Amino acid sequence: MGTNEWHIEKRDSFGTDSPLARESSNIPETGSLSIVVLGASGDLAKKKTFPALFHLYKQGFLPPEEVHIFGYARTKISDDELRDRLRGYLVPAKGASSKQLDDVSDFLNLIKYVSGSYDSEEGFCLLDKEISEHEYSKNSAEGSSRRLFYLALPPSVYPSVCKMIKTCCMNKSNLGGWTRVVVEKPFGKDLQSAEELSNQIGELFEEPQIYRIDHYLGKELVQNMLVLRFANRLFLPLWNRDNIDNVQIVFREDFGTEGRGGYFDQYGIIRDIIQNHLLQVLCLVAMEKPVSLKPEHIRDEKVKVLESVVPISDDEVVLGQYEGYRDDPTVPDESNTPTFATVVLRIHNERWEGVPFILKAGKALNSRKAEIRVQFKDVPGDIFKCQKQGRNEFVIRLQPSEAIYMKLTVKQPGLEMSAVQSELDLSYGQRYQGVTIPEAYERLILDTIRGDQQHFVRRDELKASWKIFTPLLHRIDRGEFKPLPYKPGSRGPAEADELLRKAGYVQTHGYIWIPPTL
């Protein structure tokens, strides 16, 4: 891909991050691109951030004549030591070709490491010096270069790091370049802490410079949601309370905390998965059609959904904690942290009044999957007695085995007039053979470079999401809401299935979706 193709969309610098400036400025983005990964020696950077950058590099989105990558962390190591640490995450486990090894080596040579603390100017001034030298070597006019800071760090250091970036590492003038900051979840632990963090970062950067990343918004099937809903006439008249009985958004893992118990115990399954990932998916399922595909129009509609959610009812929550969770020496003996939760949300608006949105997430369960399951109402005047077969369902399998399928009742082949449940199936592995589905982080980092905030969380969106869950989370933190025990490898607490039934979900017995073989 050529340079002109790569600069898909002109965006602005930290001084021109406004629509008016974007429209009025004729300065092309020709300056060098410096990508700084803060927390470069940590797990997130090694497992997600650097591999995503490598895949973008291989596909031509990070041209070596323009891009340099900087790692920054407290660990005192050399450039080569960091490269050696990263190499194992970039090279295929088996049978790497010489071309693949060369690609990895070429990519690693783009990486320079700077060591320093997260709260003193000395390290960041050194980082700025290294970035400026790279920009000078690429003949970038001062202020025309682009600087992207990816904070692969715990939120506790966001304020100090952002202050150091603002003090030491910003572009020096406004000639079409920009400075952008990517921050990872968890963004706060409740409404108050999230607002405090937003205020601290908001004092340093304008909203168009801040990219709050939720990697679920980068998943292929999540990004397909708006296309499915608003580009297909089939769904327009069906997508409402007249036809839909309930919606489930499910995240299941078949393993526990696996050495991360101490970290996980600070947050729990609601903060870790439901308040962010699943709630973002709910917004895309429930939102009204935006005026356009401009990021602000889409995010406006998402905020409207969140502000329409009514307070959570106690009798529509089931919490669980798998047996053995507290055996982890890093987990307190009396931990009240849920590793499983089913929460029913209700949206008070014309489209969704009366339709339960069931958010369910858990660890150490009997399967691993993430999916959206839209269940339709029973057929009125059912002459085929289809109810025993199960209801129509529209299912979007997010992971693994990405697929979109519709459960339908059809005639059983043969001489008898009997009905059976089957499906219309779009399985990506079969339909799009040979097509590599990008990792979520690849897509979102590229969006950040392009200046597209559509798949990032806006400040008022973050505030509205915390407002929904903070009362429940505070009660859990105070020990007033106890999780129920469940066995590892089970479906979770039996009470969760009972809550599903009360919410109106009708399970299909005897039908199992099987991904088609190639």
Side-chain angles (χ1 to χ4, degrees), residues 15-187:
T16 58
D17 253 329
S18 69
L20 182 61
R22 283 200 294 272
E23 291 170 8
S24 61
S25 174
N26 294 315
I27 304 170
E29 283 189 326
T30 55
S32 63
L33 172 62
S34 299
I35 300 174
V36 182
V37 180
L38 297 120
S41 59
D43 276 354
L44 175 63
K46 289 185 292 189
K47 294 177 180 178
K48 296 294 183 183
T49 314
F50 282 110
L53 292 171
F54 174 57
H55 289 131
L56 290 173
Y57 166 79
K58 281 201 305 180
Q59 296 171 73
F61 290 107
L62 302 181
E65 64 272 14
E66 295 183 15
V67 176
H68 207 71
I69 299 170
F70 299 86
Y72 185 94
R74 290 180 292 217
T75 310
K76 294 187 182 300
I77 54 175
S78 66
D79 294 350
D80 286 338
E81 284 175 312
L82 176 63
R83 292 165 185 162
D84 289 341
R85 291 186 182 191
L86 297 175
R87 195 180 304 273
Y89 294 95
L90 307 180
V91 178
K94 294 181 181 179
S97 67
S98 58
K99 172 69 165 62
Q100 289 173 314
L101 294 174
D102 288 345
D103 285 343
V104 170
S105 295
D106 291 345
F107 171 74
L108 290 174
N109 286 334
L110 295 176
I111 298 174
K112 182 167 185 62
Y113 183 74
V114 178
S115 174
S117 71
Y118 294 128
D119 57 0
S120 71
E121 293 186 13
E122 182 181 357
F124 282 88
C125 287
L126 177 59
L127 174 62
D128 180 66
K129 179 173 177 288
E130 295 286 353
I131 296 172
S132 297
E133 287 179 2
H134 157 66
E135 293 170 348
Y136 181 77
S137 72
K138 301 298 183 184
N139 297 316
S140 291
E142 186 178 50
S144 70
S145 59
R146 296 160 290 156
R147 297 184 176 189
L148 172 61
F149 294 87
Y150 193 111
L151 276 59
L153 295 165
S156 57
V157 298
Y158 287 174
S160 62
V161 169
C162 287
K163 184 177 180 182
M164 292 300 105
I165 293 171
K166 181 71 173 181
T167 303
C168 305
C169 298
M170 301 290 283
N171 279 340
K172 305 301 185 293
S173 65
N174 170 27
L175 290 175
W178 45 253
T179 303
R180 293 175 185 147
V181 177
V182 180
V183 291
E184 277 274 357
K185 80 168 186 74
F187 205 82

Side-chain angles (χ1 to χ4, degrees), residues 357-403:
F357 283 76
I358 305 157
L359 308 188
K360 181 164 66 174
K363 290 183 171 292
L365 299 176
N366 60 348
S367 63
R368 172 183 172 264
K369 68 178 179 181
E371 67 181 19
I372 306 162
R373 184 174 294 267
V374 179
Q375 186 172 82
F376 291 86
K377 293 186 175 182
D378 291 323
V379 174
D382 178 15
I383 60 173
F384 291 104
K385 297 183 171 56
C386 295
Q387 288 187 22
K388 66 179 181 180
Q389 305 296 340
R391 292 170 166 173
N392 295 142
E393 290 185 357
F394 181 61
V395 183
I396 301 174
R397 173 70 73 98
L398 305 179
Q399 66 181 34
S401 305
E402 291 94 342

Side-chain angles (χ1 to χ4, degrees), residues 271-290:
R271 289 185 175 99
D272 195 37
I273 302 294
I274 295 179
Q275 179 271 336
N276 36 69
H277 300 332
L278 301 195
L279 198 58
Q280 284 295 316
V281 174
L282 178 146
C283 288
L284 297 175
V285 173
M287 63 184 270
E288 297 298 318
K289 182 187 287 189

